[in-house]
Amino acid sequence: MATFLYKLGRLAFRRRHFVALIWVALLTLAGVGAASAPPAGNSSFSIPGTEAQKAFDLLEQRFPGASADGATARVVFKAPSGEKMTDAGNKATVEKTVDELADGSEVASVADPYTGNAVSKDGTIAYASVKYDVSGMELEESTKDALEDAAQQARDSGLTVEIGGDALQAVPETGATEVIGIAVAAVVLFITFGSLVAAGLPLLTALIGVGIGVSSITALASALELGSTTSILAMMIGLAVGIDYALFIVSRYRAELAEGREREEAAGRAVGTAGSAVVFAGLTVVIALVGLAVVNIPMLTKMGVAAAGTVAIAVLIALTMIPALLGYAGRRVKPAGAKGKRLGRFRKDDPKPDQPAGQPKANLGTRWASFVVRRPLAVLLLGVIGLGAAAVPAASLELGLPDDGSQPTSTTQRRAYDLLSEGFGPGFNGPLMVVVDAKGSDAPKDAFDDVAGEIKGLDGVVAVTPPAPNKGGDTATITVVPDSKPSSVQTEDLVHAIRDAGGDIEAKTGAETLVTGSTAMNIDVSEKLNDALVPYLVLVVGLAFLLLIVVFRSILVPLKAALGFLLSVMAALGAVVAVFQWGWLSGLMGVEETGPVMSMMPIFMVGVVFGLAMDYEVFLVTRMREAYVHGEKPNQAVVTGFKHGARVVTAAAVIMMAVFAGFIGSSESMVKMIGFGLAIAVFFDAFVVRMAIVPAVLALLGKRAWWLPKWLDRALPNVDVEGEGLRTAAERGTGPDEDRELART
């Protein structure tokens, strides 16, 4: 592989005009496609194989034209102090508002509070339910404006009016902190390279890659039903890995220049060595993201595949456009150790590439690695205990999906949620819909009544509506209001109790009972994600383990990498629980409302963090492997790996943390949580696991770390990540002319 990538790097360096033209053309095509694509519709949320989805599909079949997936709004009214909603003036205001809402072009129906029993017992709160023909993301702005205008007119009459439901659903925004994250990355790159040109290359290529990826997602959003969150997550991950992959290749290029090689040769060798690590690091990320398909939730699968596509683009750009841009930059990208004019040339105490080891002043990475190999056990215990302490809150992890109750109190959706809880009880915001399929029953009406009566007798039930059959009389819906809030354990227990009771009813009457609705959907999603976590871990970690065996030609090094990942991801989950569930530092993170951690968070974090963790493992340990293969003792190889890689890995980790942290400013709670979780996970993995635990374990293992059974060594393909083939060519005396001729063949 190193030889092939070497040829590719030299070819891209020589044919830089052609390479740059290709990538600019792709960016232009993707941009035109995004600009001309129809607006994205609703991102369909389905969970195949669950009871809630089965009931939802049955409703669409048995209740045609009911717009089961249409947007809904609850316009909640509260009377002024000392008044009631049944007073003549307040009642007239509400009825006028209902009439105005019913005139909307996309409105399917509006329920009058006074005819639909939607007034609280104390008479102070009432609500009107509005049903639309299309989903929330497909509603026209004029329809949303009409809804808000009607509510404002009612407010002008003296009532408190708030709007809940998904009709006012907005596209999430990332906020200005995303730009701050990129600015931090730029500063780190400048400090690392000491040159604006060298620092600008990774940023430029990362932005081009993300531009192509996100524009492609936007262009396909309508056809593939991709949600707005998909492009934000692809941008988040694409920026981080795009900058990091380019950073490693530029750093290796500068190191090759410092060894006295010509620029074209240096570009080829940088792509052949660091590029090999980029390929395998990118493969681990792609495997982790595409592996999300094992959960069998289409929305999560699409998010994973879209992000994986952006990562693949980042890898291709790093391998081709970076050497092309290095050709354009020429002497403005200086060898390692040389600084720009403003920062001075070589400093007297800077290590020179041609000086014997021990003469120059050791850099920080060398000093740290030397300390670790002298005290490996103490460093290992301290790192493991520290991550274990950070992981303790993860034992209290509660999972759920966000609803209006998790919105900031400044939003009208949250205020409507609170008013409904005040007037009708906490369970009113998460009613359960029970679907009774009596097609196989001899007495459908009796079956409907039996189900309703059985549910009324269950604990935790506040109200049960009479069965509402369809035109055919073979299916009915029953609305059940719990006495607990939607995200509580009590509501989850009630859903299971209804389903258990439905089994007994089916045995007696032949009617099947199914529970659906947003609350039941959320419960089923959480359970499905929990059940899929172990198979997902086995699949992703297993495939990546095999891949790393090929890369490192070792059994214990990949095993150590996987165990270190588990430590970092558990510590990161603990931090997420502490901030978003317990409320620690919530003000600093902009978390206005604490609550359960989103159901998707653990499995999504496992997938992304595993891929990113393997990035640092590959980049850092391949340098150690390279030194060991070339004759150094195990402990010295660890120090050498840190000497060449620690500074760059540190810069890459800080950049990735800055990019992820930039998304904490998003208005979307899922994006905010994932941004924080990934940023803290990178911190734990890069600075505790890879910088401390990994060298400590390798020092304790010694030569055993690189042990591989001979039969397996013979069976594995030789991918030559260390660039041994390139070194062999150099030892044979192959010159630039011969190499150029080789690259043309």
Side-chain angles (χ1 to χ4, degrees):
M1 173 176 286
T3 304
F4 169 76
L5 293 177
Y6 166 79
K7 297 176 185 178
L8 179 64
R10 293 193 63 170
L11 181 64
F13 187 95
R14 275 199 317 276
R15 301 287 185 260
R16 46 187 172 272
H17 302 307
F18 180 68
V19 172
L21 181 63
I22 288 177
W23 284 112
V24 171
L26 289 175
L27 178 61
T28 303
L29 286 174
V32 171
S36 59
N42 186 47
S43 176
S44 60
F45 185 79
S46 61
I47 41 176
T50 61
E51 181 172 313
Q53 186 64 45
K54 182 180 178 181
F56 187 82
D57 295 340
L58 184 65
L59 283 174
E60 290 190 326
Q61 177 185 345
R62 302 286 176 85
F63 291 82
S67 299
D69 59 345
T72 59
R74 276 179 171 175
V75 183
V76 187
F77 306 88
K78 183 176 182 179
S81 179
E83 299 182 18
K84 293 188 177 183
M85 292 305 304
T86 51
D87 294 346
N90 294 334
K91 186 175 182 180
T93 299
V94 172
E95 289 177 340
K96 180 182 178 183
T97 302
V98 169
D99 291 339
E100 290 178 355
L101 291 172
D103 291 336
S105 59
E106 296 179 304
V107 175
S109 63
V110 181
D112 189 311
Y114 302 103
T115 59
N117 194 26
V119 181
S120 62
K121 290 182 179 179
D122 62 4
T124 59
I125 296 174
Y127 69 91
S129 295
V130 186
K131 183 75 174 177
Y132 294 91
D133 293 321
V134 297
S135 64
M137 295 299 292
E138 295 173 312
L139 281 178
E140 295 180 1
E141 288 301 320
S142 59
T143 301
K144 296 180 180 182
D145 292 341
L147 176 61
E148 293 177 323
D149 290 344
Q152 186 58 49
Q153 290 179 18
R155 290 190 191 103
D156 294 340
S157 68
L159 297 177
T160 298
V161 185
E162 305 295 347
I163 305 171
D166 61 351
L168 296 182
Q169 182 180 359
V171 176
E173 299 175 354
T174 54
T177 50
E178 175 191 344
V179 179
I180 296 175
I182 296 176
V184 171
V187 172
V188 173
L189 287 168
F190 178 69
I191 293 173
T192 302
F193 292 137
S195 164
L196 287 174
V197 174
L201 295 183
L203 282 175
L204 176 61
T205 54
L207 290 173
I208 291 174
V210 167
I212 294 172
V214 173
S215 296
S216 300
I217 291 171
T218 304
L220 298 172
S222 179
L224 301 181
E225 296 184 337
L226 303 176
S228 55
T229 305
T230 302
S231 59
I232 292 177
L233 294 177
M235 181 191 301
M236 181 192 304
I237 297 170
L239 270 177
V241 300
I243 294 174
D244 277 8
Y245 294 165
L247 166 65
F248 281 102
I249 292 179
V250 173
S251 298
R252 188 60 183 252
Y253 171 77
R254 295 176 72 237
E256 296 292 337
L257 288 179
E259 293 183 9
R261 292 190 172 89
E262 294 296 327
R263 294 188 177 274
E264 182 178 331
E265 176 71 8
R269 287 180 174 271
V271 176
T273 52
S276 297
V278 165
V279 170
F280 281 97
L283 276 176
T284 58
V285 180
V286 169
I287 287 172
L289 291 170
V290 174
L292 291 170
V294 75
V295 184
N296 196 25
I297 295 180
M299 184 184 75
L300 193 59
T301 300
K302 293 173 184 177
M303 287 167 56
V305 171
T310 307
V311 172
I313 293 171
V315 171
L316 292 173
I317 283 186
L319 297 178
T320 57
M321 195 166 186
I322 281 293
L325 292 179
L326 289 173
Y328 284 118
R331 297 186 179 278
R332 287 186 290 273
V333 176
K334 302 182 181 301
K339 305 294 181 181
K341 292 181 179 179
R342 294 185 180 181
L343 298 179
R345 298 288 182 179
F346 285 101
R347 294 194 303 266
K348 291 182 179 181
D349 58 345
D350 278 344
K352 308 298 187 298
D354 56 347
Q355 285 181 300
Q359 287 188 9
K361 181 180 179 181
N363 62 22
L364 181 60
T366 302
R367 296 197 298 273
W368 169 250
S370 300
F371 169 77
V372 173
V373 297
R374 288 197 306 270
R375 301 285 187 273
L377 187 59
V379 172
L380 176 61
L381 290 176
L382 185 62
V384 171
I385 291 172
L387 290 179
V392 168
S396 304
L397 177 67
E398 295 178 8
L399 298 178
L401 287 179
D403 55 19
D404 285 348
S406 61
Q407 297 265 17
T409 53
S410 59
T411 62
T412 186
Q413 292 94 330
R414 172 59 190 276
R415 292 195 293 264
Y417 180 98
D418 292 339
L419 285 176
L420 290 172
S421 295
E422 177 188 342
F424 302 92
F428 192 78
N429 283 292
L432 306 175
M433 179 176 288
V434 178
V435 181
V436 185
D437 181 6
K439 200 167 188 178
S441 175
D442 296 332
K445 188 176 183 306
D446 293 339
F448 300 154
D449 294 336
D450 288 345
V451 172
E454 188 76 22
I455 294 174
K456 285 180 181 178
L458 296 176
D459 295 334
V461 175
V462 171
V464 178
T465 64
N470 63 345
K471 292 182 178 179
D474 58 1
T475 308
T477 59
I478 302 171
T479 301
V480 180
V481 179
D483 65 0
S484 52
K485 63 180 183 179
S487 59
S488 67
V489 177
Q490 293 84 353
T491 301
E492 183 177 347
D493 292 340
L494 177 60
V495 169
H496 291 303
I498 294 174
R499 288 172 174 171
D500 292 340
D504 297 334
I505 295 173
E506 184 175 7
K508 291 187 296 184
T509 65
E512 183 179 13
T513 302
L514 305 169
V515 184
T516 189
S518 60
T519 301
M521 280 270 194
N522 291 351
I523 292 171
D524 286 351
V525 167
S526 298
E527 292 179 352
K528 192 176 182 70
L529 288 167
N530 285 337
D531 293 342
L533 186 56
V534 173
Y536 175 70
L537 273 173
V538 171
L539 173 68
V540 172
V541 176
L543 288 175
F545 180 77
L546 295 176
L547 188 66
L548 292 179
I549 289 178
V550 174
V551 174
F552 296 127
R553 308 195 77 81
S554 164
I555 297 293
L556 296 180
V557 171
L559 180 62
K560 171 264 307 168
L563 294 177
F565 150 73
L566 291 176
L567 276 174
S568 59
V569 80
M570 289 303 298
L573 277 176
V576 169
V577 170
V579 173
F580 290 88
Q581 188 174 307
W582 292 358
W584 294 4
L585 302 177
S586 57
L588 180 64
M589 298 298 164
V591 181
E592 296 189 33
E593 189 66 28
T594 59
V597 174
M598 280 176 298
S599 303
M600 294 183 186
M601 187 66 190
I603 199 164
F604 192 84
M605 178 181 283
V606 164
V608 177
V609 173
F610 181 78
L612 300 179
M614 294 307 102
D615 279 4
Y616 301 118
E617 182 76 13
V618 170
F619 289 130
L620 193 59
V621 180
T622 47
R623 294 306 294 261
M624 301 178 190
R625 168 76 181 172
E626 184 177 345
Y628 178 75
V629 167
H630 295 149
E632 292 188 9
K633 293 182 178 180
N635 283 6
Q636 183 58 40
V638 172
V639 176
T640 300
F642 267 76
K643 175 183 177 182
H644 294 295
R647 182 178 182 181
V648 179
V649 169
T650 299
V654 172
I655 288 169
M656 199 170 277
M657 288 168 56
V659 172
F660 287 147
F663 288 84
I664 295 176
S666 173
S667 61
E668 175 69 31
S669 58
M670 180 175 180
V671 175
K672 180 189 292 287
M673 191 178 292
I674 289 178
F676 171 79
L678 294 183
I680 197 70
V682 168
F683 172 78
F684 287 143
D685 195 86
F687 293 106
V688 181
V689 174
R690 310 301 154 189
M691 291 289 185
I693 293 178
V694 164
V697 171
L698 291 177
L700 289 171
L701 290 175
K703 290 184 178 180
R704 295 185 297 273
W706 308 107
W707 171 80
L708 185 70
K710 291 183 179 180
W711 64 268
L712 184 56
D713 187 39
R714 290 191 298 268
L716 291 176
N718 184 12
V719 295
D720 190 21
V721 176
E722 300 87 9
E724 182 66 20
L726 302 181
R727 176 171 294 210
T728 302
E731 291 171 353
R732 289 197 306 266
T734 306
D737 292 337
E738 290 87 344
D739 284 339
R740 187 176 295 110
E741 191 64 30
L742 177 66
R744 291 173 179 170
T745 60

